Amino acid sequence: MYNMWLQYNPVESKNKDMWQEVAILNDSCIATSIKNELTIAIEKMFQVKPAYSTSNDAKIVIGIIDELGELVDKQQKHKFADISDESFLISYQNDQLLVTGKSDKALLYGVYHLLREVQHGHDITKLNLLDQPKNSLRMLNQWDNLDGSVERGYSGNSIFYENGKIVKDKSRIKDYARFLASVGINAISINNVNVWKEETYFITKKYLPEIKEIADIFRAYGITLYLSINFASPIAIDGLDTADPLDVNVKQWWKDRVQEICHYIPDFGGFVVKADSEHRPGPFTYDRDHADGSNMLAEALAPYGGKVIWRCFVYNCVQDWRDRSTDRARAAYDHFKPLDGKFHENVILQIKNGPMDFQVREPVSPLIGAMKKTNQIIEFQVAQEYTGQQRDLCYLIPQWKEVLQFDTYIKGKGTTIEDIVAGRIHPYKYSGIAAVSNIGNDENWTGNTLAQANLYGYGRLTWNPELSSETIANEWIQQTFTSNENVVNVLGDMLLNSWEIYENYTAPLGVGWMVTPNTHYGPNIDGYEYSRWGTYHFADRDGIGVDRTKETGTGYTSQYEEPNQSTYNNLDSCPDELLLFFHHVPYKYTLKSGKTVIQHIYDTHFLGYEQVEQLVQQWETMKDNIDPLRYTNIRERLALQIRNAREWRDQINTYFYRKSGIPDEKGRTFY
Ligand code: GCW
């Protein structure tokens, strides 16, 4: 359980002997990590001890291009001319295996890739591959608090903090760094974006010496450390009478802070900022905008190469349900789009994948790509806040792929989110993908062992969005469990169907929410319906859904480029799965599928439950192929999932039957 996908199960290989002679040509901290990983992996996979040297004659040679001399020919060197420093070459030539690139990080990624190839039983003497990451920033955000809790954490407590202190034993942090590096993650913010009282002091001497230790651990795995900050820090820490971003004292205050941080962490990544969002302080208090706020921090960070990652999750969270013109979905675009061009070049806007909040189904945020002169990254949530909380199985890679493949038409047909966030459409200086992590101090890291697949997949997908959901699932299963074909097939099937299954038994047709307030697990159809958070479904006896059209609704659809704008705005062309996100319709409205909305609701909810029953059966057939610990963990989680699915099925069906008065065509039981 503990090693997630770095199990390094024994493999049969005719090239086993090669692994006894490995040359690592440099001695940086990353090189040490490479050596440590190889030692663990080689011993486990081949039961041999590698002997290390710095000789160019070794069977396996790992080194930066310049150190390899004659071993790398001109043609190979040429290939590296225009590609990033993180790209690596693995090449078998003249009875030697080379792993090379322009930096230590490239070697690290190359070695992890090589180890993956070996675990998949591939013949390393056939390797000749140059690989480069498609996204330059590949980040995880921890929502960890100093008291040891994790906001929206479903895997126990924090591995970073406990009882108001940074953990003394940092061995789990190091293991986490190994997992992240193995899938190419290169940046991490280590504290919650909601920065509470004591965490505000993370940017001071009180905590920096220990945060430096964490930065050192991550650095050795090619991962840059960021901190979430409290925008009101000058007031909270030093009693300044303002945090106004245009105030000279405030500006100086932040410059001094950054100077001190960089004294401890010279390669400090920068700040992640949640400002003017859900009651967190921000520039609005001083009548300043997000550009003023972020630019002030950016100025302080610029001399050290630091960045400001400014979140766009800004909306009115004290709405009145009677107010039909305020639409939370519109908020990010309305706030940020007018500011395009005003941000400094080391400011990056971080935008959630959908306009609401990580629901099982949402349209893609229209803000992504809409700002041509402002660096943007997308934010996913690996933590399953609204998708089963790591009790229910929900493999999210298919969802993320759908988002990445969405065509925005922002620069004509074929302007996908994938291209935008990779920086191929607008001349972004920085671009990439961030996500909220799903790990904690549970022995298996992710609560449900199967939720490890989301973390693994997030990294792999961020490195290369062209990988298919199937490929990623297969890789993960083989490395984590076994290459046994039956296991790969059954478990692959379970993972790949799970998003759709979860959608089937929860909120229908893109409307979202209907969850228990605060905890966000389990059904409560009207739980948020009269609250201030702006997350409504507007179901009454006649119909359901949110009118976001231009003519009669909130006008949200106009934030999309054509033809998306019309596709969503017109009832006839709006895709079924998002119908209730964009339109309010009668229960008897007929979907493109040919079913009425109400019958669709009944059918999917009965089906979703049955599908979970099937998941349980599928898993039971795995009993003899999986170790008891992991087998039992997953079986227990599936038992929770089936309870949850039943609860959702019954509550949703009964609620809508009672609201609409329309019976189920198939006469099934409602409770
Ligand atoms: O979805 C909401 C979560 C909050 C979270 C917020 C955010 C960190 O329920 O717990 O706060 O999003 O993304 O800032």
Side-chain angles (χ1 to χ4, degrees):
M1 293 239 267
Y2 187 86
N3 294 315
M4 294 217 266
W5 54 85
L6 297 182
Q7 300 285 334
Y8 300 121
N9 293 324
V11 288
E12 288 301 322
S13 166
K14 58 179 173 22
N15 308 309
K16 188 170 161 172
D17 292 347
M18 287 182 66
W19 294 94
Q20 272 162 301
E21 258 185 79
V22 181
I24 300 179
L25 300 188
N26 62 3
D27 61 0
S28 63
C29 64
I30 292 184
T32 307
S33 302
I34 293 175
K35 199 170 181 177
N36 290 343
E37 196 67 32
L38 280 172
T39 306
I40 299 171
I42 295 171
E43 284 187 15
K44 281 184 145 182
M45 292 193 296
F46 304 115
Q47 300 79 49
V48 295
K49 258 200 178 340
Y52 294 102
S53 72
T54 50
S55 151
N56 269 357
D57 299 330
K59 285 271 182 270
I60 295 179
V61 180
I62 299 162
I64 294 176
I65 299 184
D66 298 340
E67 298 162 342
L68 293 183
E70 300 293 291
L71 291 185
V72 185
D73 63 34
K74 262 210 184 108
Q75 216 186 345
Q76 286 170 321
K77 276 192 186 139
H78 188 70
K79 285 190 192 154
F80 278 97
D82 302 320
I83 58 177
S84 88
D85 283 359
E86 295 180 316
S87 315
F88 59 81
L89 173 77
I90 305 178
S91 164
Y92 187 80
Q93 53 194 58
N94 308 325
D95 297 332
Q96 274 185 313
L97 186 75
L98 299 185
V99 180
T100 188
K102 290 192 280 192
S103 70
D104 288 10
K105 271 168 91 173
L107 306 183
L108 182 72
Y109 297 138
V111 164
Y112 275 118
H113 190 94
L114 175 62
L115 293 173
R116 202 157 38 230
E117 294 281 340
V118 176
Q119 285 170 92
H120 293 162
H122 297 162
D123 182 351
I124 58 170
T125 63
K126 302 252 151 50
L127 285 178
N128 189 354
L129 129 127
L130 180 72
D131 197 11
Q132 58 171 324
K134 301 282 188 313
N135 289 292
S136 51
L137 190 66
R138 305 178 300 277
M139 183 171 202
L140 276 168
N141 298 155
Q142 300 299 135
W143 283 0
D144 296 36
N145 301 313
L146 196 60
D147 66 3
S149 65
V150 178
E151 181 151 352
R152 310 305 174 186
Y154 311 106
S155 318
N157 281 328
S158 173
I159 64 162
F160 292 87
Y161 318 106
E162 61 190 351
N163 301 324
K165 294 205 168 71
I166 295 174
V167 293
K168 284 274 163 293
D169 174 1
K170 299 190 174 52
S171 52
R172 274 203 94 159
I173 299 178
K174 181 171 167 195
D175 281 333
Y176 187 40
R178 290 175 52 218
F179 294 122
L180 298 188
S182 76
V183 291
I185 299 296
N186 64 3
I188 189 167
S189 58
I190 59 162
N191 61 313
N192 190 359
V193 290
N194 288 323
V195 183
W196 308 118
K197 192 162 178 230
E198 192 56 27
E199 292 87 342
T200 297
Y201 290 86
F202 275 18
I203 54 174
T204 69
K205 262 203 191 73
K206 184 166 180 195
Y207 291 101
L208 283 171
E210 258 201 292
I211 291 176
K212 172 200 174 334
E213 287 178 35
I214 299 178
D216 292 345
I217 292 172
F218 281 118
R219 183 181 305 107
Y221 286 87
I223 301 166
T224 304
L225 184 129
Y226 288 68
L227 291 172
S228 297
I229 56 114
N230 172 355
F231 194 81
S233 294
I235 302 172
I237 295 174
D238 274 330
L240 267 61
D241 54 12
T242 178
D244 180 352
L246 300 192
D247 181 282
V248 281
N249 294 327
V250 171
K251 286 182 173 201
Q252 190 55 48
W253 189 90
W254 280 106
K255 284 184 180 151
D256 295 344
R257 280 291 105 239
V258 171
Q259 188 185 24
E260 185 164 69
I261 296 169
C262 293
H263 166 75
Y264 288 94
I265 309 166
D267 56 352
F268 180 58
F271 297 141
V272 175
V273 193
K274 173 174 178 177
D276 289 313
S277 163
E278 300 184 328
H279 310 294
R280 303 314 299 148
F284 286 176
T285 312
Y286 311 98
D287 251 345
R288 313 294 184 201
D289 62 28
H290 293 286
D292 298 324
S294 55
N295 288 342
M296 178 269 295
L297 297 170
E299 257 169 53
L301 286 157
Y304 305 89
K307 301 169 191 116
V308 178
I309 299 184
W310 191 271
R311 295 176 84 235
C312 296
F313 187 59
V314 178
Y315 66 98
N316 177 2
C317 65
V318 289
Q319 210 181 309
D320 186 316
W321 60 270
R322 279 160 290 233
D323 165 15
R324 298 295 291 255
S325 62
T326 306
D327 179 5
R328 173 164 162 183
R330 293 188 57 124
Y333 188 100
D334 285 346
H335 278 295
F336 286 92
K337 165 85 179 163
L339 300 177
D340 192 17
K342 295 200 172 147
F343 294 91
H344 285 191
E345 65 168 19
N346 58 334
V347 175
I348 304 169
L349 299 184
Q350 179 166 314
I351 307 164
K352 288 192 182 184
N353 62 269
M356 297 297 275
D357 196 9
F358 303 133
Q359 300 301 288
V360 67
R361 173 76 64 180
E362 285 188 47
V364 172
S365 168
L367 182 61
I368 303 168
M371 299 174 71
K372 301 178 174 60
K373 294 179 241 151
T374 308
N375 303 314
Q376 294 188 332
I377 58 175
I378 192 171
E379 176 179 337
F380 290 124
Q381 194 182 37
V382 187
Q384 291 169 242
E385 177 177 359
Y386 294 98
T387 49
Q389 304 199 348
Q390 290 146 242
R391 282 175 251 181
D392 301 28
L393 171 59
C394 192
Y395 177 59
L396 289 164
I397 313 306
Q399 187 199 47
W400 300 334
K401 277 197 76 78
E402 216 174 273
V403 171
L404 293 171
Q405 284 163 5
F406 178 73
D407 192 348
T408 64
Y409 287 88
I410 276 166
K411 261 198 172 175
K413 191 168 165 45
T415 318
T416 59
I417 296 288
E418 187 176 314
D419 286 336
I420 293 167
V421 301
R424 288 193 290 265
I425 302 298
H426 307 311
Y428 293 159
K429 178 149 191 217
Y430 303 108
S431 55
I433 306 187
V436 183
S437 178
N438 67 345
I439 63 110
N441 68 358
D442 275 0
E443 205 192 336
N444 70 353
W445 295 89
T446 53
N448 186 339
T449 300
L450 297 180
Q452 294 172 8
N454 285 330
L455 186 64
Y456 177 84
Y458 168 70
R460 294 289 288 137
L461 189 70
T462 303
W463 178 281
N464 180 8
E466 279 154 33
L467 292 173
S468 72
S469 300
E470 289 86 343
T471 304
I472 293 174
N474 285 353
E475 282 186 2
W476 178 76
I477 297 164
Q478 289 194 47
Q479 289 164 51
T480 305
F481 294 107
T482 162
S483 299
N484 173 309
E485 211 179 312
N486 184 36
V487 176
V488 174
N489 288 340
V490 173
L491 195 44
D493 200 58
M494 290 174 70
L495 290 172
L496 290 165
N497 293 328
S498 59
W499 174 39
E500 188 186 319
I501 296 175
Y502 190 80
E503 183 175 18
N504 280 343
Y505 64 80
T506 56
L509 299 165
V511 76
W513 314 96
M514 302 189 173
V515 290
T516 309
N518 308 322
T519 68
H520 299 171
Y521 187 78
N524 186 339
I525 297 156
D526 283 336
Y528 276 120
E529 199 54 19
Y530 303 93
S531 81
R532 307 176 307 163
W533 297 91
T535 58
Y536 309 115
H537 55 68
F538 295 120
D540 57 21
R541 63 174 194 180
D542 300 318
I544 175 174
V546 191
D547 185 352
R548 293 193 159 103
T549 62
K550 289 182 278 185
E551 296 76 17
T552 51
T554 67
Y556 166 75
T557 54
S558 63
Q559 295 182 344
Y560 291 90
E561 289 292 327
E562 287 293 12
N564 293 333
Q565 187 176 122
S566 302
T567 304
Y568 291 141
N569 198 66
N570 300 336
L571 193 49
D572 291 343
S573 52
C574 185
D576 281 353
E577 69 273 12
L578 288 169
L579 188 81
L580 302 181
F581 190 92
F582 287 105
H583 298 274
H584 185 88
V585 296
Y587 292 111
K588 286 210 168 161
Y589 176 81
T590 306
L591 297 167
K592 290 180 189 53
S593 68
K595 285 185 187 180
T596 59
V597 165
I598 190 76
Q599 195 56 41
H600 172 94
I601 293 178
Y602 297 150
D603 287 352
T604 49
H605 284 78
F606 283 114
L607 176 67
Y609 177 75
E610 283 161 22
Q611 288 172 314
V612 180
E613 283 184 320
Q614 228 164 43
L615 289 177
V616 174
Q617 282 162 13
Q618 282 179 298
W619 185 245
E620 278 170 0
T621 68
M622 295 289 92
K623 190 159 188 208
D624 296 334
N625 298 103
I626 308 284
D627 54 286
L629 209 57
R630 290 187 292 182
Y631 175 79
T632 311
N633 164 266
I634 293 165
R635 208 194 50 200
E636 284 170 2
R637 299 281 154 156
L638 284 165
L640 297 174
Q641 180 169 5
I642 205 152
R643 260 193 3 222
N644 192 35
R646 190 189 301 124
E647 199 61 27
W648 272 96
R649 178 197 67 188
D650 292 341
Q651 293 219 25
I652 292 268
N653 284 341
T654 302
Y655 178 98
F656 285 103
Y657 172 55
R658 180 156 174 191
K659 274 259 142 116
S660 70
I662 304 169
D664 172 30
E665 280 169 5
K666 298 182 188 142
R668 288 164 291 195
T669 309
F670 292 153
Y671 292 94

